[in-house]
Amino acid sequence: MNALSRPWAIRLALVGLVLLFLIVWYRLEASVDGLRDEVKNRQGELAWMEQVPAFSPTDTNKAEFSSLAGHIEETTRQFGLADFIRRIEPEGDTRVSLRLEGAPFGPLLDWVHAVTSRHGLMLDRLAVMEGDTKGTVQADLSLERRD
């Protein structure tokens, strides 16, 4: 290298390093912003989940839930789904079938999770079809006591 091209080579190398630094910095900043958004979403989900009623069968009055159909009616009411029930058919003392029409999908899933994880019920059958309006479903289910 001659004496005139050496300073240019150094300048070009410095510009390349600065560009490399800026590219890495930009990607890290974008990644951090994405993680911040994820944290905000998770905090929102947590706040929502804390509002969902949680109780176990031991917390409830046994007489109030003496029938499985009564238990289903009460828990659907707690999740805002009672108005969407079109049919409840007890099948003995330990099994019930029900149909919901126009039910909001999210609360339906929350209710199914609650009754299967905290209320001693087991989901035997679930058939879900898209509802008439966005976010709603028609659902046929069978639930059974685990005892």
Side-chain angles (χ1 to χ4, degrees), residues 68-70 72-73 85-99 125 140-143:
L68 184 54
I72 297 298
E73 288 177 16
I85 295 176
R86 296 298 172 254
R87 176 182 49 85
I88 296 182
E89 288 182 23
E91 298 173 5
D93 292 338
T94 61
R95 186 180 176 93
V96 67
S97 292
L98 65 148
R99 176 167 181 80
R125 179 181 53 84
D140 289 306
L141 328 105
S142 284
L143 294 162

Side-chain angles (χ1 to χ4, degrees), residues 67-137:
S67 77
L68 184 54
H71 182 73
I72 297 298
E73 288 177 16
E74 178 62 27
T75 56
T76 55
R77 192 173 304 112
Q78 291 172 353
F79 283 83
L81 296 170
D83 293 338
F84 304 103
I85 295 176
R86 296 298 172 254
R87 176 182 49 85
I88 296 182
E89 288 182 23
E91 298 173 5
D93 292 338
T94 61
R95 186 180 176 93
V96 67
S97 292
L98 65 148
R99 176 167 181 80
L100 292 96
E101 294 180 0
F105 186 64
L108 176 64
L109 289 183
D110 296 335
W111 173 75
V112 168
H113 179 264
V115 297
T116 57
S117 65
R118 296 187 295 232
H119 295 265
L121 299 177
M122 181 174 65
L123 184 64
D124 181 52
R125 179 181 53 84
L126 173 63
V128 179
M129 295 176 296
E130 187 176 0
D132 295 334
T133 59
K134 185 176 182 176
T136 65
V137 294

